[in-house]
Amino acid sequence: LAVEARGWMDTSRKMLPIGGGASGHAAEEEEQPQEGPPRIGVPLTAAGAAAMQAEAVAWAAAPESGGAVSSSSPPTPSVHESAKCKKAKKEAEVADLAALWRMGDILELLRSTALPGKARPAQHGASSEGSAGDVLSSICRAVSEAHGLLKPQEAQELPLHPLLAELQTMNRLQWRGDVALLPRGSLCSELWDRLAHAVQKLSGGLWEAVRVSLGARLLARQKEILVDSEVRSGAVEVLAGSGSGWVVVPGPKNVRYALDVTRCMFSEGNAAEKARVAEWQVQGETILDMYTGIGFWTLPLLAAGASRVVACEWNPDAVEALRRGLRLLGPEVEARCEVFAGDNRRPEVRAASAGQCHRVMLGLIPDSRDGFSNAVASLRAEGGTLHVHWNVRSDEEEATARAVADELQAMFR
């Protein structure tokens, strides 16, 4: 329970009895079967083992508390009392790891492959749990090594355990090409800032160490993208590395999105929707994309065979990204896209699309109402499809869809 509470448990392996009687606290080599009392092997992650090893230094140096449980824990019950506790299903107490460690022969840290892995269901998605674990271990290792550069007094004032514990609960790191992105709001507390400042004087810096451990060209932290931002520019803080923020990210059907991560927004969460759009039967169609961005929908639609896409975007950095993405699809596809940089409500856009479109993409949140007038005017006389994006509570989805449909229907009359 104590290991689990600290986030050190490796849930991919089983907890089982192992051979007994190793000497010393930490074994550097593979554990060999030995004679002696049986022991229980509790699987730790690589990061958890590093954290425990670091904590053990403090445990060994601290004065003994005189027992194997914390002072707040109740005394060890007698056999009779234990039976009553079992009958009452009393919750187990979390062990005092420091006290157990100081006892010398109760708690040991061993490197071993004796504990088998658990059977896992098939994984879906871009990255498996194993690869995510490898990334976390790399970051923990870099942080632990950077912390090891501190003087003893500094190390005491900047404890390693809470830093590693926060890493264990951190959301998944994301990648944009060769740029590694830490989750929004992660690793930015005062403790992290103090460690980064202290290590900066001793080496290349904490964040540089993390970047190198990940093999990333740039390390950045995501920031909140404001939904009411007119240009939806990128929101990241570059922490380490060099070079521009331009990357290429693979999309569906040979699409490659080009973007500057420091200036352009990219949503990883709608990958399935991009793939779905790329499978639409749009051959021979003319489509208006009113809020193109870097080409989230424009590029898959062109790859799916759309005859012509009128793409509108007023963030100049996103327009540059769109043009690069079009070039990556080749000259034949690029020629089927007409790009309008600037406000999509201006007369030139209406002239290029009015009465000509089979579909209109209205991919703006929290709502795309500002585009309704041009969207309605763009559809052919025979009608067409408006793909409307809207932020809505899940329990209000049906009612909102009806209200939006009624509003649009009134505009057609």
Side-chain angles (χ1 to χ4, degrees):
L1 290 176
V3 168
E4 195 172 41
R6 286 167 167 79
W8 297 349
M9 182 80 80
D10 180 358
T11 56
S12 70
R13 292 189 293 155
K14 297 180 180 179
M15 183 170 67
L16 292 173
I18 60 175
S23 59
H25 280 313
E28 293 300 323
E29 303 299 329
E30 179 76 19
E31 182 200 3
Q32 301 296 325
Q34 299 184 32
E35 302 274 335
R39 293 172 298 162
I40 298 295
V42 180
L44 304 181
T45 62
M52 185 171 178
Q53 209 151 19
E55 288 286 298
V57 176
W59 293 340
E64 294 191 19
S65 62
V69 293
S70 65
S71 57
S72 59
S73 300
T76 304
S78 65
V79 175
H80 178 65
E81 288 170 331
S82 295
K84 289 194 296 184
C85 288
K86 186 175 181 181
K87 188 174 182 180
K89 294 185 179 180
K90 179 173 176 168
E91 285 192 14
E93 295 289 336
V94 176
D96 182 341
L97 293 182
L100 291 174
W101 185 269
R102 284 193 294 268
M103 292 181 70
D105 57 352
I106 300 295
L107 187 67
E108 296 177 301
L109 183 61
L110 302 170
R111 182 181 292 116
S112 174
T113 57
L115 300 178
K118 295 179 181 177
R120 289 192 175 276
Q123 299 294 319
H124 302 280
S127 59
S128 67
E129 286 188 20
S131 61
D134 291 342
V135 167
L136 178 60
S137 295
S138 295
I139 298 176
C140 288
R141 193 159 45 246
V143 171
S144 299
E145 290 173 357
H147 188 274
L149 298 173
L150 300 177
K151 296 177 181 178
Q153 180 63 31
E154 288 179 314
Q156 189 172 0
E157 294 173 354
L158 295 171
L160 179 61
H161 170 254
L163 300 173
L164 296 180
E166 182 178 343
L167 283 170
Q168 294 289 337
T169 60
M170 184 179 74
N171 288 334
R172 184 174 62 89
L173 178 140
Q174 294 185 7
W175 288 87
R176 303 284 185 269
D178 56 1
V179 177
L181 294 176
L182 296 172
R184 185 177 68 200
S186 65
L187 317 187
C188 56
S189 66
E190 181 188 1
L191 198 59
W192 284 101
D193 288 343
R194 287 168 57 198
L195 177 60
H197 178 73
V199 174
Q200 190 68 44
K201 299 178 295 183
L202 303 173
S203 66
L206 170 65
W207 303 123
E208 177 64 12
V210 172
R211 181 193 70 80
V212 171
S213 75
L214 294 171
R217 180 174 58 83
L218 290 179
L219 175 69
R221 182 189 293 117
Q222 293 181 313
K223 298 194 295 186
E224 183 177 8
I225 297 175
L226 302 177
V227 295
D228 56 355
S229 167
E230 290 187 344
V231 296
R232 303 292 170 87
S233 58
V236 301
E237 174 190 4
V238 176
L239 300 172
S242 60
S244 76
W246 282 99
V247 298
V248 175
V249 179
K253 224 163 191 175
N254 296 320
V255 165
R256 287 178 289 170
Y257 295 104
L259 70 146
D260 183 340
V261 295
T262 67
R263 296 178 178 272
C264 299
M265 181 191 77
F266 183 87
S267 174
E268 192 177 69
N270 59 14
E273 185 68 2
K274 295 188 189 88
R276 188 176 74 90
V277 169
E279 297 302 322
W280 285 352
Q281 300 303 308
V282 295
Q283 293 83 357
E285 292 189 359
T286 294
I287 302 170
L288 171 63
D289 188 351
M290 297 193 67
Y291 308 98
T292 302
I294 67 171
F296 294 115
W297 313 120
T298 287
L299 300 184
L301 287 167
L302 289 165
S307 292
R308 177 175 174 245
V309 175
V310 178
C312 306
E313 176 55 43
W314 65 5
N315 177 353
D317 297 307
V319 171
E320 173 61 22
L322 170 63
R323 294 190 189 280
R324 293 192 185 199
L326 287 168
R327 286 196 293 271
L328 291 172
L329 280 173
E332 184 276 325
V333 176
E334 184 179 10
R336 291 191 268 121
C337 184
E338 191 173 355
V339 179
F340 285 87
D343 196 323
N344 60 20
R345 294 166 293 190
R346 68 187 193 277
E348 298 95 309
V349 175
R350 187 174 287 252
S353 59
Q356 304 175 49
C357 297
H358 298 74
R359 302 172 190 264
V360 180
M361 308 298 294
L362 290 147
L364 182 68
I365 54 175
D367 66 68
S368 51
R369 180 176 277 117
D370 280 353
F372 281 4
S373 177
N374 266 17
V376 168
S378 297
L379 291 182
R380 301 176 306 151
E382 302 92 320
T385 305
L386 302 180
H387 299 276
V388 180
H389 287 219
W390 211 276
N391 275 2
V392 60
R393 287 166 49 103
S394 58
D395 58 348
E396 297 175 353
E397 184 175 347
E398 186 175 344
T400 302
R402 282 199 304 268
V404 171
D406 290 343
E407 182 178 344
L408 287 167
Q409 187 65 43
M411 297 178 73
F412 280 101
R413 294 193 183 105

